Amino acid sequence: MRIGQGYDVHRLKEGRKLILGGVEIPYEKGLLGHSDADVLIHAVMDALLGAAALGDIGQHFPDTDDAYQGISSIELLKEVGRLLRERHYQIENIDATIIAQKPKLAAYRPKMAENMALALGIKAGQISVKATTEEGLGFTGRGEGIASQAIALLTEAANY
Ligand code: MG
């Protein structure tokens, strides 16, 4: 078994869509980034790549590459899933936390898990999405940005 962790942050800005786990969430601001800036999926991808010792998302999907401009992070997650399958890794589970003062995210968590599970070809029950505020402290607490953390466990298929 192999474990990996991921962490990401994006700045909140007016005039951007807020997309988390492939779900568009109504809010006055969205996350700024080269792709759709889906901070949850970015942390999940880094956890998966980390568990397989395959580098990080900056290496696989550079933000200097126009191919990834405005791309849905769901598409990038599919590619990470493909890289893992190619190397005969199976995903056991993923546990992720979104750190955001606002908006309230609880209602969207099942859909986020479902979207990511579909992209990876696993069951929604293998993905846990949690959300927390930071009690008004720090950049997340002040609503300047949203952070996300994730861990993932992989198993290596034997006898290949
Ligand atoms: Mg990112």
Side-chain angles (χ1 to χ4, degrees):
M1 282 192 291
R2 301 178 63 111
I3 194 164
Q5 68 92 29
Y7 174 74
D8 196 26
V9 172
H10 282 267
R11 183 184 292 274
L12 278 165
K13 198 173 186 300
E14 273 147 38
R16 290 274 302 185
K17 286 179 181 171
L18 178 58
I19 297 167
L20 292 169
V23 181
E24 191 177 329
I25 294 159
Y27 188 50
E28 62 199 43
K29 293 177 179 175
L31 294 171
L32 186 62
H34 186 68
S35 64
D36 63 358
D38 191 324
V39 68
L40 169 61
I41 292 186
H42 293 186
V44 165
M45 289 193 289
D46 262 353
L48 291 168
L49 290 170
L54 285 174
D56 61 29
I57 56 169
Q59 179 188 329
H60 289 274
F61 314 112
D63 63 6
T64 48
D65 189 335
D66 286 347
Y68 305 120
Q69 175 99 45
I71 197 170
S72 165
S73 296
I74 286 282
E75 296 307 313
L76 305 181
L77 184 61
K78 284 180 190 169
E79 175 61 17
V80 169
R82 197 189 60 75
L83 289 170
L84 296 178
R85 279 192 301 278
E86 207 174 79
R87 288 163 179 81
H88 310 296
Y89 287 118
Q90 283 182 341
I91 300 166
E92 287 298 319
N93 74 303
I94 295 167
D95 183 23
T97 303
I98 306 166
I99 302 151
Q101 195 65 32
K102 277 197 275 187
K104 288 279 173 226
L105 298 171
Y108 304 102
R109 293 182 313 174
K111 184 63 180 161
M112 293 175 193
E114 195 185 309
N115 286 347
M116 292 191 284
L118 201 63
L120 290 167
I122 61 175
K123 298 188 186 91
Q126 289 173 275
I127 304 184
S128 151
V129 178
K130 312 187 301 299
T132 184
T133 70
E134 252 173 343
E135 301 286 334
L137 297 168
F139 70 87
T140 50
R142 288 189 297 270
E144 295 167 7
I146 293 180
S148 192
Q149 299 184 3
I151 55 172
L153 192 71
L154 303 182
T155 46
E156 293 162 281
N159 305 321
Y160 275 101

